[in-house]
């Protein structure tokens, strides 16, 4: 939220007097008695927490500043914000805030807190809240089949996590930190209801991307800049376990993020692994000890040795490597014990040694290890910690024992950032097709020798190097002669993989979708990083960036989309590129900017350039996608004439090329355009025609971030239905469309649907129902840092608050939202300006109210979104009538104009609202007969919606008119029946 919006929230005025008791959800707060009940039973709250709750409830819907709360609750004591956060956290826990969909308190970053629950002054219950977006399943690596010597450690760490919430497992490389962390995650999986997320920082090269990696893993829309605020908003009310693995090489940024999340998300638990502690507030360190080894005892037996975890691991690993050491003999027990001691109980080192012990006898293994370790005392090793020396020497020894093909493959697969498939290994580690067999054999051998780890993933097997082994192999690759060639093959492999998505002949079935390769995000980023580095391949980088754009958009990682699109575009002039790359890069950049930055000049320039290129090369699908995006751009900026022209252009292109789905999309765009132009009949014809052509549920078509045209069509139809006098069908259609969009689970599409449906609920005076939607819009937009939608969300909340009588707060939010949206070049924003003008009129700000509505009328006249003009004319009449010296003549003129225009637009609902206001005015002037003649024929044209506020108000007014003139009541009833028959 921008500074102007923040000022608007802070400037919200004080509410009027409040009652002594409030009900929300299953709670009842008795202010005078200082008592909180849940389902009639008292809830024990501390005095400070109760004071906080009362202060927030009495100012419900208003952001209460931290300083104000501190002054209110701690009147005679000087405390810091930490005390406030602790009390708020306790209050949330007592209310079950965030559990089972319940939401009562929200935090406005940098400002204060706000009570957002539905309040009533009786025992009535809240309406069911909107269901939260379903959480994805956990992403933990597979649980280790057998973990030796760590069961109690896992139990201890799990217990400490429950009580302390923030634990870091510290230990040297290869000691087994990740294995323990993953096991603890599985141990706690049920307790956290599956909300456990694993983040591997081992392959991350840029520390600045730590927060972005966390954000994308948690499903946040990644954008340019630091997403830490969005992460806090997302996690503040969630009970979740985050496992941050391999923090040591990004320790500054990972430590800062972990500290902030721990402080500001009171239900979040964090388990980190690192070779050193993070050294931040709240962290509890668990130093992972090496596996215990037996003492140097000449009489050591096999039974005694196997009581030690280090020996157990050695024997088990040697046996699974296919060697002769299936059982440990007494003769070998002392030798194995000596190896484990020599390796300092480091699990990885023991596994490496055991894998080689299977190939010969134990005495040979001891001799080889002695040769490897005799170099540890040499200069250059003395500054290294002993256990790090041990692991390094073991890796050196293991590497030397590999065959040359195995060494080559190990070096080359170290280029992968994260997991990879066998197909990827063959493409990157081989030099030509004839090497396939050797690569496959080498991979299998490296798995057997503990240099690679294999795990099942869906229909395929994924391989990875442990963090320590990968660092070692990368060193070997860097000093080899094929480092750049390997990086180039790595980039080319992912270029071909991305280009082959959707073409089953070029990729394996299990990889034939962007979702299926989501775990390759790190590899694609690494490939792009190399391509645009000093030693990289710019031409391959441009092609790879263009191919990656749909992938980034599909995953909603808009920061990556913008970053790599810009880098590639900068290099277009220096390389021999094709126009298609230029087209794809500008199209994706324009869309990413439109969604995150709004209607800027950069967006229009990118989309316009891309459309020109699409026309030049005859790329019809791209033309239609870009016309759709430019249509949305023009709609948002209020250029409705240009938007209509674009929709007609798109319809012609789609029709000429026989693209049935895209033709339906263009007809929806035409329907939206005609609807906003005020032609409801033509608009409905286009939308209903399109709905007949669309499938029951749309897939991606060709666009990975295709607008949800099915929901857009349904909500547009709902708006038209309301205007034409079918309010029940309109509300039902809109609610079903929103529910369908929620099931899709995409925040941008949900924000679009909530925004587009907003007017229906406002027109129907259903702001109570829409309040939940407004809160959800704010939540989704703030969580994903969608600035334009967040601003609009606060505007919708302002409309809701005005309708609920919280006028000053609503005015502040509306003013702030309009100021920001005007700076972003949004259109007329008629709904917001109408609500603001009416609110200003109620508090006596007559001039500003008239200026506001006149500005809206002028903008609508200029932009040609004439559908809302009847409402604007009616609203101006209402402002004139609310003045200290009402201008009855002018008000009557505007109401008549509103009625006439609504009739021309076939907008029966707007005609009824304006007719009701004019009839009420005429009644005040003693013109009851004229009022009845005006209102009755309009009312009887309705066939539904008789419980809506507009129809109830009209019915009550007709009853009043009839009761005042009983002699004419029979005539009125006959007129109503006659009108009904003609209707």
């Amino acid at each position: 939220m921008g500074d102007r919006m923040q000022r608007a929230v802070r400037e919200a005025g004080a509410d009027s007097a409040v009652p002594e008791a409030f009900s929300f959800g299953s709670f009842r707060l008795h202010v005078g008695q200082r008592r909180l009940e849940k389902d009639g039973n008292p809830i024990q709250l501390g005095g400070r927490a109760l004071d906080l709750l009362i202060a927030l409830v009495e100012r419900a819907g208003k952001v209460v500043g931290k300083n104000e709360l501190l002054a209110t609750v701690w009147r005679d004591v000087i405390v810091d914000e930490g005390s406030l956060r602790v009390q708020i956290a306790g209050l949330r826990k007592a209310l079950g805030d965030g559990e089972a969909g319940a939401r009562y308190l929200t935090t406005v970053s940098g400002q204060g807190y706000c009570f957002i629950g539905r309040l009533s002054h009786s025992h009535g219950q809240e309406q069911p809240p909107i269901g939260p977006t379903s959480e994805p399943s956990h992403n933990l690596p597979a649980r280790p089949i057998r973990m030796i010597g760590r069961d109690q450690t896992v139990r201890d760490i799990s217990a400490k996590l429950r009580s302390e919430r923030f634990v870091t497992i510290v230990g040297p490389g290869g000691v087994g930190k990740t294995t323990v962390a993953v096991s603890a995650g599985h141990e706690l999986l049920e307790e956290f209801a599956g909300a456990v997320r694993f983040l591997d920082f081992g392959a991350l090269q840029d520390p600045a991307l730590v927060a972005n990696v966390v954000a994308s893993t948690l499903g946040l829309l990644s954008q340019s800049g630091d997403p830490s605020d969005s992460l806090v908003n997302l996690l503040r009310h969630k009970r979740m376990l985050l496992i941050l693995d391999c923090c040591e090489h990004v320790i500054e940024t990972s430590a800062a993020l972990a500290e902030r999340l721990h402080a500001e998300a009171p239900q979040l638990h964090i388990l980190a692994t690192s070779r050193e502690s993070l050294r931040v507030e709240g962290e509890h360190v668990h130093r992972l000890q090496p596996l215990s080894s037996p003492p140097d005892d000449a009489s050591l037996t096999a039974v005694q040795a196997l009581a030690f975890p280090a020996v157990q691991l050695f024997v088990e690993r040697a046996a699974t490597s296919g060697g002769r050491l299936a059982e440990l003999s007494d003769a070998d027990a002392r030798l194995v014990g000596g190896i484990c001691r020599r390796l300092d109980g480091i699990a990885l080192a023991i596994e490496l040694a055991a894998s080689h012990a299977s190939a010969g006898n134990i005495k040979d293994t001891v001799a080889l290890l002695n040769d490897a370790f005799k170099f540890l005392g040499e200069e250059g090793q003395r500054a290294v910690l002993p256990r790090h020396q041990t692991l390094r020497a073991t890796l050196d020894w293991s590497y030397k024992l590999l065959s040359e093909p195995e060494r080559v493959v190990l070096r080359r697969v170290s280029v992968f950032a994260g997991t990879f498939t066998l197909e990827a290994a063959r493409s990157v580690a081989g030099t030509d097709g004839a090497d396939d067999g050797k690569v496959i054999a080498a991979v299998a051998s490296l798995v057997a020798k503990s240099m690679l780890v294999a795990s099942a993933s869906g229909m395929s097997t994924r391989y990875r190097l442990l963090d320590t082994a990968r660092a070692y192999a990368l060193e070997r690759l860097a000093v080899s002669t094929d480092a750049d060639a390997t990086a180039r093959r790595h980039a080319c492999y992912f270029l071909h993989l991305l280009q082959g998505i959707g073409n089953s002949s070029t990729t394996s079935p299990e990889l034939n979708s962007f979702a299926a390769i989501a775990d390759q995000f790190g590899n694609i980023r690494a490939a792009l990083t190399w391509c645009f580095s000093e030693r990289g391949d710019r031409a391959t980088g441009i092609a790879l960036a263009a191919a990656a754009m749909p992938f980034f958009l599909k995953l909603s990682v808009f920061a990556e989309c913008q970053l790599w699109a810009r880098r590639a575009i900068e290099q277009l002039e220096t390389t021999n590129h094709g126009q298609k790359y230029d087209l794809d890069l500008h199209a994706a950049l324009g869309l990413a900017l439109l969604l995150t930055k709004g209607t800027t000049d950069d967006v229009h320039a990118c989309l316009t350039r891309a459309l020109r290129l699409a026309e030049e090369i005859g790329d019809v699908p791209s033309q239609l996608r870009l016309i759709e995006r430019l249509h949305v751009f023009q709609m948002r900026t209020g250029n409705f004439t240009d938007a209509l022209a674009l929709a007609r252009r798109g319809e012609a292109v789609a029709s000429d090329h026989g693209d049935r789905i895209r033709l339906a999309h263009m007809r929806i765009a035409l329907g939206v355009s005609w609807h906003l132009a005020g032609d409801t009949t033509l608009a409905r014809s286009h939308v209903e025609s399109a709905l007949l052509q669309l499938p029951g549920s749309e897939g991606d078509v060709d666009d990975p971030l295709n607008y949800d045209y099915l929901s857009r069509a349904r909500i547009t139809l709902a708006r038209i239905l309301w205007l034409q006098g079918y309010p029940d069908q309109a509300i039902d259609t809109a609610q079903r469309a929103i529910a369908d969009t929620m099931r899709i689970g995409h925040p941008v599409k949900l924000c679009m649907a909530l925004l587009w449906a907003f007017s229906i609920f406002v027109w129907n005076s259903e702001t109570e129902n829409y309040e939940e939607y407004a809160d959800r819009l704010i939540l989704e937009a703030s969580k994903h840092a969608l600035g334009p939608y967040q601003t609009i969300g606060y505007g919708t909340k302002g409309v809701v608050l005005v309708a609920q009588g919280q006028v000053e707060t609503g005015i502040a939010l509306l003013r702030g939202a309009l100021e920001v949206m005007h700076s972003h070049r949004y259109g007329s924003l008629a709904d917001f300006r109408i609500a603001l003008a009416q609110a200003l009129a109620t508090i006596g700000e007559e001039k500003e109210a008239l200026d506001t509505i006149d500005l809206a009328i002028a903008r609508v006249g200029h932009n040609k979104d004439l559908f809302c003009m009847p409402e604007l004319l009616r609203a101006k009449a209402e402002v004139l009538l609310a003045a200290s010296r009402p201008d009855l003549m002018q008000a009557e003129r505007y109401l008549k104009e509103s009625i006439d225009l609504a009739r021309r637009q076939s907008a029966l609902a707007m005609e009824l609202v304006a007719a009701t206001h004019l009839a009420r005015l005429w009644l005040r002037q003693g013109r009851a007969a004229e009022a009845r003649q005006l209102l009755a024929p309009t009312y009887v044209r309705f066939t539904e919606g008789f419980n809506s506020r507009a129809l109830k108000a009209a019915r009550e007014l007709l009853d009043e008119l009839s009761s005042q003139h009983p002699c004419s009541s029979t005539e009125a009833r006959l007129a109503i029946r006659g009108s009904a028959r003609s209707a």
Side-chain angles (χ1 to χ4, degrees):
M1 188 167 56
D3 292 341
R4 284 169 286 195
M5 272 302 303
Q6 293 176 2
R7 288 199 303 271
V9 174
R10 285 197 298 268
E11 292 167 2
D15 295 326
S16 56
V18 295
E20 279 293 302
F22 296 93
S23 294
F24 51 96
S26 55
F27 295 94
R28 186 168 178 81
L29 175 63
H30 300 269
V31 178
Q33 301 173 34
R34 292 181 56 79
R35 187 175 79 253
L36 177 67
E37 296 175 349
K38 182 178 182 181
D39 295 326
N41 299 313
I43 299 295
Q44 296 301 319
L45 276 184
R48 304 287 191 195
L50 189 59
D51 287 340
L52 277 173
L53 180 60
I54 292 172
L56 291 168
V57 167
E58 287 181 343
R59 298 166 178 81
K62 174 186 175 183
V63 178
V64 185
K66 296 176 181 178
N67 291 335
E68 182 180 351
L69 287 172
L70 288 170
T72 301
V73 178
W74 287 271
R75 295 181 181 87
D76 304 318
V77 183
I78 298 176
V79 297
D80 59 16
E81 289 184 13
S83 300
L84 177 60
R85 286 199 300 267
V86 169
Q87 292 294 336
I88 289 288
L91 187 55
R92 285 192 168 115
K93 184 175 181 180
L95 296 176
D97 194 44
E99 299 175 8
R103 291 183 56 249
Y104 301 115
L105 305 178
T106 190
T107 307
V108 179
S109 181
Q111 297 176 54
Y113 301 90
C114 179
F115 186 93
I116 59 173
R118 182 76 58 78
L119 287 175
S120 63
H121 306 150
S122 66
H123 290 282
Q125 298 294 307
E126 288 182 293
Q127 293 182 351
I130 300 172
T133 302
S134 59
E135 293 285 353
S137 60
H138 74 84
N139 67 336
L140 282 171
R143 188 170 195 162
I145 298 174
R146 177 161 159 72
M147 183 177 57
I148 296 174
R150 299 300 193 192
D151 291 341
Q152 185 58 48
T153 300
V154 170
R155 287 192 288 270
D156 291 344
I157 289 173
S158 299
K160 189 174 287 188
L161 264 175
R162 292 185 186 99
S163 59
E164 307 297 347
R165 290 182 44 237
F166 185 2
V167 177
T168 301
I169 304 173
V170 173
V175 78
K177 300 184 294 295
T178 300
T179 299
V180 170
V182 170
S183 299
H186 282 280
E187 183 81 10
L188 296 168
L189 197 55
E190 184 176 348
E191 189 169 322
F192 280 88
V196 179
R197 303 290 179 271
F198 180 86
L199 299 105
D200 180 9
F201 295 147
L204 193 60
Q205 298 175 352
D206 186 354
L209 292 176
V210 164
N212 295 84
V213 170
V214 178
S216 61
T217 301
L218 297 181
L220 281 174
L221 305 188
S222 176
Q223 300 182 44
S224 56
D226 184 1
S228 297
D229 289 343
S230 296
L231 281 170
V232 171
N233 289 334
L234 170 67
L235 296 171
R236 181 173 281 118
H237 308 304
K238 286 186 180 295
R239 177 170 167 77
M240 179 181 284
L241 171 60
L242 282 187
I243 301 177
L244 311 179
D245 192 37
C246 299
C247 295
E248 56 271 358
H249 66 296
V250 289
I251 195 162
E252 295 296 333
T253 49
S254 58
L257 180 63
E259 181 178 35
R260 182 179 178 190
L261 293 179
H262 174 259
E264 299 189 41
Q267 298 184 69
L268 179 69
H269 296 240
I270 300 172
L271 177 59
T273 74
S274 177
R275 296 183 189 180
E276 59 179 303
S277 64
L278 304 187
R279 297 185 180 88
V280 293
E281 185 177 352
E283 178 192 29
H284 294 262
V285 175
H286 183 102
R287 298 197 178 275
L288 188 61
Q289 299 302 319
L291 297 174
S292 61
S293 302
D296 185 7
D297 185 351
S299 62
L300 185 71
T301 66
V303 172
Q304 292 170 335
L306 286 169
F308 293 87
V311 175
Q312 293 174 31
L313 177 62
F314 186 98
V315 172
E316 182 173 293
R317 192 68 191 86
T320 57
S321 296
R324 296 183 293 107
L325 191 63
E327 293 184 4
L328 183 67
S329 67
D330 288 341
D332 289 336
R334 185 166 178 246
L335 293 173
V336 172
I339 291 173
C340 293
R341 283 195 308 277
R342 189 66 180 273
L343 298 177
D344 292 322
I346 298 174
L348 176 57
I350 292 170
E351 290 194 46
L352 290 171
S355 67
H356 292 294
S358 66
N361 61 43
I362 298 300
K363 290 182 180 180
D364 291 340
T365 303
V366 172
L368 289 169
L369 276 173
N370 285 335
D371 288 340
F373 275 68
K374 69 181 180 181
F375 298 104
L376 288 183
E378 292 185 357
E379 188 175 356
Q381 294 281 345
R382 291 172 185 162
V384 183
L385 293 174
R387 287 199 175 97
H388 292 171
Q389 295 179 28
T390 298
L391 183 57
R392 175 71 187 208
T394 308
L395 286 165
D396 282 335
W397 171 66
S398 299
Y399 183 77
K400 290 174 184 177
L401 292 178
L402 297 177
S403 66
E404 184 57 28
E406 290 170 346
R407 292 177 191 172
V408 170
V409 170
L410 179 66
R411 290 197 305 264
R412 291 176 178 176
V413 297
S414 68
V415 77
F416 288 104
T419 65
F420 56 92
T421 64
L422 186 60
E423 178 186 357
R426 289 162 54 193
S427 296
V428 175
T431 55
D432 54 54
D435 287 337
D436 276 1
K438 292 181 180 179
V439 172
I440 293 170
V443 167
S445 180
L446 290 170
V447 170
K449 294 174 181 177
S450 297
M451 300 298 282
L452 279 179
V453 177
S455 60
S457 176
M459 297 173 61
S460 66
T461 298
R462 292 287 204 268
Y463 300 87
R464 67 182 178 91
L465 277 162
L466 295 178
D467 180 53
T468 306
R470 180 173 184 258
Y472 178 87
L474 276 172
E475 289 180 12
R476 293 288 184 171
L477 179 65
V479 298
S480 70
T481 59
D482 60 352
D484 288 338
T486 300
R488 184 173 288 105
R489 285 196 299 272
H490 177 261
C492 289
Y493 170 77
F494 285 100
L495 170 60
H496 297 146
L497 179 68
L498 290 168
Q499 289 176 336
I501 294 295
N503 181 357
S504 59
S505 64
T506 57
T507 58
S508 54
E510 64 270 20
L511 298 180
N512 194 31
S513 73
F514 290 123
I517 64 167
D519 65 339
Q520 299 301 298
F521 179 81
N523 275 310
I524 293 169
R525 177 196 281 141
L528 285 164
T529 300
W530 177 82
C531 286
F532 292 106
S533 69
E534 185 177 345
R535 299 173 60 180
D537 182 342
R538 301 291 194 279
T540 299
I542 290 171
L544 179 58
M549 291 298 109
F551 177 70
F552 291 146
L553 292 173
K554 178 69 176 179
L555 297 185
S556 301
V557 283
F558 300 130
E560 302 286 336
C561 182
Q562 294 174 46
L563 170 67
W564 299 114
R566 290 188 189 280
R567 287 197 183 177
I569 288 170
E570 289 171 1
Q571 300 297 323
L572 285 173
E573 296 299 326
T574 63
T575 59
N576 185 18
H577 68 279
Q579 286 182 304
K580 187 67 168 69
Y581 293 150
D582 196 344
L583 158 61
D584 291 343
L585 291 166
H586 278 95
L589 179 58
L591 177 58
L593 291 171
L594 177 63
L595 292 173
T596 58
K597 302 299 183 185
T599 50
T600 65
D601 289 336
D602 284 346
V603 172
H604 189 261
C606 284
L607 296 180
T608 302
R609 177 183 177 89
L611 178 57
R612 176 177 58 78
L613 290 167
E615 290 172 337
E616 287 178 4
I617 65 178
D619 185 344
V620 174
S622 292
Q623 288 180 48
L624 292 169
R625 282 195 294 271
L626 288 159
I627 288 172
E628 291 169 4
R629 294 171 190 176
L630 280 166
H631 179 264
V632 171
F633 178 92
Q634 298 294 3
M635 297 277 288
R636 289 187 182 179
T637 56
N639 296 322
F640 294 101
T641 301
D642 291 344
L644 179 59
L646 278 164
R648 284 172 166 164
R649 178 177 170 185
E651 182 188 37
V653 173
S655 179
D656 288 345
H657 290 82
D659 189 332
R660 182 177 60 86
I661 298 299
R662 292 290 180 186
L663 181 59
H665 290 178
M666 288 299 105
R667 284 180 175 162
I668 293 168
L670 274 170
V672 171
S673 297
W674 285 120
H675 157 53
L676 295 178
D679 194 327
T680 56
T681 303
L682 193 55
R684 183 169 179 175
S685 171
H686 278 88
V687 172
E688 289 183 333
S689 170
L691 282 170
L692 291 174
Q693 297 299 315
L694 289 177
S697 59
E698 282 200 276
D700 284 339
V701 191
D702 295 318
D703 194 340
L705 199 67
N706 181 43
Y707 288 105
D708 186 7
Y709 273 92
L710 189 61
S711 292
R712 192 181 189 197
R714 288 171 176 166
I715 294 174
T716 302
L717 179 59
R719 291 165 64 99
I720 296 167
L721 286 169
W722 188 89
L723 290 170
Q724 292 185 332
Y726 305 100
D728 291 345
Q729 293 181 57
I731 294 295
D732 181 63
T733 302
Q735 288 177 333
R736 285 189 288 110
I738 291 172
D740 288 344
T741 306
M742 286 180 179
R743 279 191 286 274
I744 293 173
H746 196 288
V748 171
K749 295 181 179 182
L750 178 56
C751 287
M752 287 179 175
L754 292 172
L755 171 61
W756 192 234
F758 170 65
S759 295
I760 301 169
F761 297 91
V762 173
W763 299 335
N764 210 47
S765 301
E766 295 269 353
T767 49
E768 294 88 349
N769 290 339
Y770 188 78
E771 183 178 12
E772 294 181 20
Y773 295 148
D775 289 339
R776 183 61 178 272
L777 176 56
I778 294 170
L779 176 66
E780 291 293 325
S782 62
K783 185 168 70 175
H784 297 284
L786 297 170
Y789 291 107
Q790 187 177 3
T791 300
I792 296 171
Y794 277 100
T796 63
K797 185 70 173 180
V799 174
V800 169
L801 293 177
V802 167
Q804 293 177 345
Q806 300 181 53
V807 177
E808 293 187 358
T809 305
I811 287 174
L813 288 175
L814 283 165
R815 279 173 171 160
L818 284 166
E819 183 180 359
V820 174
M821 292 163 73
H822 176 66
S823 69
H824 289 175
R825 302 191 312 180
Y826 271 76
S828 57
L829 303 167
D831 283 335
F832 289 179
R833 296 190 191 280
I834 287 172
L836 178 59
Q838 291 172 330
L840 290 167
T842 63
I843 62 172
E845 298 289 344
E846 299 174 16
K847 184 178 184 306
E848 186 180 353
L850 278 173
D851 288 345
T852 299
I853 206 71
D854 285 341
L855 175 61
I857 290 172
R859 286 185 179 277
V860 164
H862 177 268
N863 296 337
K864 306 300 182 187
D865 51 333
L866 299 175
F867 88 100
C868 57
M869 188 64 86
E871 272 290 275
L872 285 167
L873 295 171
R874 181 202 57 76
K876 179 160 187 179
E878 192 173 333
V879 170
L880 290 169
L881 291 173
S884 55
R885 298 178 62 183
D887 190 335
L888 303 184
M889 185 177 298
Q890 283 284 74
E892 180 175 339
R893 180 171 71 84
Y894 282 117
L895 287 171
K896 286 180 176 179
E897 287 183 16
S898 174
I899 293 168
D900 289 342
L901 184 55
R903 284 173 179 165
R904 292 200 300 273
Q905 294 183 358
S906 300
L908 178 60
M910 287 185 175
E911 180 185 344
L912 177 72
V913 174
T916 302
H917 278 75
L918 183 55
R920 188 173 288 114
L921 173 61
W922 282 349
L923 176 62
R924 287 166 52 187
Q925 296 174 329
R927 301 159 64 183
E930 291 178 78
R932 188 171 55 252
Q933 290 171 3
L934 169 70
L935 186 56
T938 305
Y939 178 84
V940 297
R941 288 159 61 195
F942 283 85
T943 58
E944 64 175 61
F946 297 106
N947 289 322
S948 67
R949 293 188 182 180
L951 283 164
K952 281 183 177 179
R955 178 70 265 171
E956 289 169 2
L957 182 55
L958 283 171
D959 290 342
E960 183 179 356
L961 291 169
S962 296
S963 66
Q964 289 193 12
H965 298 272
C967 61
S968 303
S969 60
T970 301
E971 178 186 342
R973 286 195 295 271
L974 289 173
I976 290 174
R977 281 200 288 268
S979 298
R981 282 196 297 272
S982 64

